Amino acid sequence: MGTTRIPISVKKGTTSKSIFEFDNTNLAPGTYLVKLVLYKVNEFGTDELLDVVPSAFGFEMNSKSGDTNNLEWTHRYWGHIKFNNLTIQEPKVLI
């Protein structure tokens, strides 16, 4: 999971576009599917789910030349991982 604490503000009935950056240096080679979850958290830590995009996008990490990684990743044992926070560029409102 990667999160951002940078507030994203949009008004109902408008569309906005934001560019997020994610540090993928610690990912093992393989194919990844990203689920986008939008939620808000108040100052007491209470969260409210706003929306979910189950298959927002996917990407593939390739082995580097000379990489000797022989691990076989079995999803049954993955668990939960917290990555560095996402960085976000200033949102742009598209009318």
Side-chain angles (χ1 to χ4, degrees):
M1 177 177 82
T3 60
T4 179
R5 292 190 175 270
I6 298 170
I8 300 169
S9 179
V10 293
K11 293 185 180 191
K12 188 174 183 177
T14 63
T15 303
S16 69
K17 176 182 178 180
S18 299
I19 298 174
F20 294 86
E21 294 179 6
F22 173 70
D23 180 2
N24 65 3
T25 55
N26 294 322
L27 294 180
T31 302
Y32 293 84
L33 179 63
V34 176
K35 175 170 51 171
L36 180 62
V37 180
L38 302 172
Y39 64 96
K40 63 180 179 178
V41 180
N42 68 17
E43 62 273 10
F44 304 109
T46 304
D47 62 81
E48 178 184 351
L49 179 66
L50 301 174
D51 201 0
V52 176
V53 181
S55 300
F57 62 92
F59 63 93
E60 186 171 335
M61 295 292 295
N62 297 314
S63 296
K64 295 177 185 164
S65 178
D67 200 357
T68 58
N69 183 357
N70 296 326
L71 293 176
E72 183 176 335
W73 295 91
T74 307
H75 68 82
R76 181 174 158 194
Y77 304 107
W78 281 358
H80 298 276
I81 300 169
K82 171 71 171 83
F83 292 104
N84 294 333
N85 286 343
L86 299 164
T87 57
I88 181 173
Q89 293 180 7
E90 191 66 32
K92 296 176 182 155
V93 176
L94 309 172
I95 298 175

